Amino acid sequence: MNTLHKELLTDSLIVHKIKNNIHLIEEVNFMHIPDGFLATPVNITTAVVSAGFIGMALRETYRKIEPEKIKYIVLLTAFIFGAQMINFNILSGTSGHFLGAALAAILFGHWVAILIMSVVLSTQCIFFADGGITALGSNIFNMAIIGSFSAYYVYRFLLKKITGKVLYQYAVYGFSAFVSIVCAAFLCSFELAISGLASPVNIFANMISVHSLIGMAEGIITAGILYVITLYQQKVISV
Amino acid sequence: MNQSLYKLFVPLAVIILLSAVLPIFASSSPDGLEWVAEKLHFAGAEASLNTIAFFADYTCTLTDINLINTAITGISGIALIGLFSTILFLILASASKKAEGQTE
């Protein structure tokens, strides 16, 4: 009886572990470009270009950094990492997640945003196998560099044009975040297309359509977070 | 509580909640790129070259309980990110301060 009980217990433990593993396998998805997707020349080119931009970002940040802001930059970097862990459904069978490049660019400028996003993407790649090691240059180029630059310049350009209502300001934040996602998806599509993975038309059409929806969510989340930060600044930080 | 610590406490609590608890409720549907890759039949080209990732795919097998594994992964992630970004920006600030001192 005792042996039977032990066997049953072992069996139930095995079943539990298998169920756990199935759950883990179901959750595996690649949020960023994995290894094997892009052609080697694309990986090398984007890695070199990204390294150049990171060098420029380091130089610009070194020139202008305000030490008292470091704690907020670190908090934002951790926040972006945490927020990227949460995938939300956008269509039946498809999901997306917050990127954060626009949020970082609006709060601290595009050069700091590049560094913030590069830290997040490199850590995800090395420790979490999210995004391929060979595709790290592409992921940094698309999401950190293009994502930050596009959001920052759209935000700066539009903010000069609007006057008056605070609501318009938040609309600009949201639209900048939307643009950052679409631009990053456009560059990603270009890299996938020149790597010969599928017909360029199909790649662009599908990537831009699905990422436009993700971009809308990014816009709403970014504007929402900036609103909360503004309230927090007014009610807590300024106290 | 110290005022400056209090200012950081709320954002930090939000980040911990976001990283350690909320991923449990994350959608397991394929994300945008994966969805396109499956639709256009190139998802099979994926090859994982990273064999050192301790928290591969945002999970770990330290315990038999998924909730705890997710929390460990999230908290480890924000600790790593916090460490790397602090080192990077402190080095930049310190170098900037030194350069300012030399020019004065």
Side-chain angles (χ1 to χ4, degrees):
Chain A
M1 190 66 187
N2 204 8
T3 319
L4 183 68
H5 181 75
K6 272 184 183 170
E7 277 176 5
L8 281 173
L9 199 67
T10 317
D11 284 351
S12 71
L13 268 175
I14 290 169
V15 168
H16 176 71
K17 282 192 175 179
I18 290 169
K19 275 183 182 170
N20 246 355
N21 287 336
I22 288 169
H23 178 64
L24 296 182
I25 290 162
E26 278 172 354
E27 280 191 358
V28 170
N29 54 17
F30 39 84
M31 295 182 185
H32 312 320
I33 303 172
D35 290 314
F37 269 25
L38 300 180
T40 307
V42 177
N43 282 331
I44 293 170
T45 309
T46 50
V48 170
V49 173
S50 295
F53 271 98
I54 289 172
M56 286 161 71
L58 286 169
R59 194 187 60 192
E60 291 299 318
T61 309
Y62 156 79
R63 282 179 181 169
K64 294 172 188 164
I65 193 162
E66 295 169 49
E68 63 276 10
K69 283 189 180 171
I70 291 177
K71 54 184 179 286
Y72 299 114
I73 294 173
V74 171
L75 279 174
L76 180 67
T77 315
F79 174 83
I80 289 173
F81 171 83
Q84 286 199 4
M85 286 177 74
I86 305 160
N87 270 43
F88 46 82
N89 281 325
I90 48 163
L91 282 174
S92 163
T94 319
S95 70
H97 66 81
F98 179 68
L99 180 64
L103 179 67
I106 291 166
L107 285 171
F108 297 110
H110 54 317
W111 294 117
V112 173
I114 288 175
L115 296 181
I116 287 175
M117 293 304 295
S118 298
V119 168
V120 171
L121 293 168
S122 305
T123 309
Q124 286 174 331
C125 170
I126 296 163
F127 295 95
F128 297 84
D130 186 10
I133 288 187
T134 57
L136 182 60
S138 301
N139 283 322
I140 288 179
F141 183 68
N142 301 338
M143 290 183 272
I145 297 164
I146 299 299
S148 303
F149 263 84
S150 56
Y152 182 75
Y153 284 107
V154 168
Y155 148 72
R156 289 292 299 266
F157 175 76
L158 291 177
L159 211 60
K160 282 179 194 164
K161 303 275 174 199
I162 61 148
T163 46
K165 285 187 181 175
V166 177
L167 186 67
Y168 293 160
Q169 195 181 324
Y170 285 96
V172 168
Y173 296 152
F175 183 70
S176 311
F178 168 80
V179 170
S180 78
I181 297 291
V182 175
C183 287
F186 186 86
L187 263 294
C188 179
S189 308
F190 180 72
E191 290 154 11
L192 295 169
I194 59 171
S195 298
L197 287 167
S199 139
V201 175
N202 281 340
I203 290 177
F204 276 98
N206 285 290
M207 281 290 285
I208 301 300
S209 60
V210 75
H211 283 91
S212 295
L213 294 172
I214 297 172
M216 285 178 202
E218 178 90 8
I220 294 165
I221 296 168
T222 304
I225 293 167
L226 286 166
Y227 178 71
V228 172
I229 289 174
T230 308
L231 281 185
Y232 189 71
Q233 267 180 331
Q234 286 168 354
K235 297 212 168 156
V236 179
I237 294 184
S238 58
V239 172
Chain B
M1 189 187 284
N2 180 313
Q3 185 66 24
S4 75
L5 277 179
Y6 175 73
K7 285 172 193 171
L8 297 178
F9 176 77
V10 176
L12 198 61
V14 170
I15 291 164
I16 290 170
L17 179 79
L18 204 65
S19 315
V21 182
L22 294 185
I24 295 158
F25 306 104
S27 165
S28 58
S29 298
D31 79 328
L33 173 59
E34 188 183 16
W35 178 77
V36 174
E38 281 172 4
K39 195 176 171 192
L40 301 180
H41 310 294
F42 64 83
E46 187 196 359
S48 183
L49 302 176
N50 186 350
T51 52
I52 56 156
F54 189 74
F55 300 105
D57 298 306
Y58 298 93
T59 54
C60 66
T61 48
L62 290 175
T63 72
D64 285 335
I65 305 160
N66 268 336
L67 292 176
I68 296 174
N69 289 340
T70 304
I72 292 170
T73 306
I75 290 169
S76 307
I78 54 169
L80 285 169
I81 291 277
L83 179 72
F84 297 145
S85 53
T86 304
I87 291 170
L88 172 68
F89 288 102
L90 280 181
I91 288 173
L92 285 171
S94 147
S96 177
K97 208 175 173 184
K98 267 186 191 170
E100 266 177 33
Q102 280 171 358
T103 51
E104 277 168 11

